[in-house]
Amino acid sequence: MSNVNYNSLAGTNVPTDFVELPSQIMENWAAEPEVLKSFAKHHKTGEVMPDALIQKIKNAGTYGQGFATTEYLAASLLDMDYHTNAGHGSNVQDFEKQRMSSRGLTDQIIPRYRSTYFNHIFSGGYSSGYYSYIWSEVLDSDAFEAFKSKGLFDKETAMAFRKNILERGGSADPMELYRRFRGAEPTIRHYSKRGLN
């Protein structure tokens, strides 16, 4: 889908927090009633999923999100701590405990991943950038709102997303590309109304 002059700017050759937007936005359609009713049918009767069950799925989607967001942010902050040399010479478990308690986190709220198996902090291109997943969630929830407000399958919105986000890759500043698509910078308002994926 890329439409750029140089392959080095195509597709996923974008900043870390922008790379997740195209994949994460696609997840939004799965639980929408209009989409569910097109495929979620009883295996024997063929009856579409009832509205009451769809509402239960929607309600369950936000259960515990305060906790989940806090542990996500705790992991992001721990990642930053490691890369600011705050833990030089420390035992890994002691360092993690000290950093979490300094932020007021209780033993019930720990980082999403513990240091000993938190792969993103030192590999995969996300070193000191785990926070980017939160920002990507803000982007995808705001972008999906453009589809919800005009219709999930609105061709004009889909084409604007394709031309301004998918086709452009790293050929321009991500915020400029986003503004071209959405007409404004993203807002946290839509992210705060839904749960993390």
Side-chain angles (χ1 to χ4, degrees):
M1 284 197 161
S2 291
N3 185 11
V4 294
N5 292 328
Y6 304 102
N7 285 339
S8 62
L9 299 174
T12 59
N13 293 310
V14 297
T16 304
D17 56 355
F18 200 58
V19 75
E20 298 292 337
L21 171 59
S23 65
Q24 286 185 190
I25 193 172
M26 301 309 288
E27 298 170 8
N28 289 289
W29 274 265
E32 287 295 314
E34 184 178 348
V35 174
L36 281 171
K37 289 180 181 227
S38 73
F39 75 89
K41 299 178 182 179
H42 192 278
H43 72 285
K44 289 182 181 174
T45 66
E47 184 181 349
V48 298
M49 184 179 283
D51 291 336
L53 184 54
I54 291 173
Q55 187 61 46
K56 285 182 180 181
I57 291 170
K58 183 176 180 178
N59 293 345
T62 56
Y63 177 79
Q65 281 314 124
F67 179 89
T69 301
T70 302
E71 70 175 6
Y72 214 130
L73 290 171
S76 300
L77 292 169
L78 180 62
D79 177 34
M80 293 276 201
D81 290 339
Y82 277 115
H83 290 88
T84 58
N85 204 21
H88 183 69
S90 296
N91 171 287
V92 171
Q93 284 86 8
D94 292 343
F95 173 72
E96 183 179 286
K97 184 173 180 151
Q98 186 274 329
R99 297 311 300 154
M100 294 304 99
S101 64
S102 75
R103 293 193 169 95
L105 293 177
T106 66
D107 290 338
Q108 290 75 29
I109 301 177
I110 59 172
R112 186 175 194 150
Y113 303 105
R114 303 310 292 256
S115 297
T116 54
Y117 59 87
F118 189 7
N119 230 10
H120 281 70
I121 59 176
F122 298 113
S123 65
Y126 284 88
S127 300
S128 74
Y130 189 69
Y131 72 88
S132 65
Y133 282 104
I134 293 281
W135 180 240
S136 293
E137 291 274 353
V138 171
L139 290 174
D140 90 72
S141 61
D142 188 76
F144 187 62
E145 186 61 29
F147 287 93
K148 286 195 70 143
S149 67
K150 295 179 182 173
L152 293 179
F153 304 108
D154 180 64
K155 288 183 180 181
E156 184 179 315
T157 306
M159 190 54 73
F161 187 75
R162 178 180 176 169
K163 292 211 170 293
N164 295 298
I165 305 294
L166 300 177
E167 287 185 1
R168 302 313 304 154
S171 64
D173 177 80
M175 189 57 75
E176 177 57 33
L177 294 174
Y178 191 87
R179 280 193 298 263
R180 288 180 200 165
F181 160 64
R182 192 74 164 101
E185 291 189 4
T187 173
I188 196 170
R189 182 173 67 244
H190 306 295
Y191 170 75
S192 62
K193 287 193 292 186
R194 69 164 192 172
L196 287 171
N197 295 323

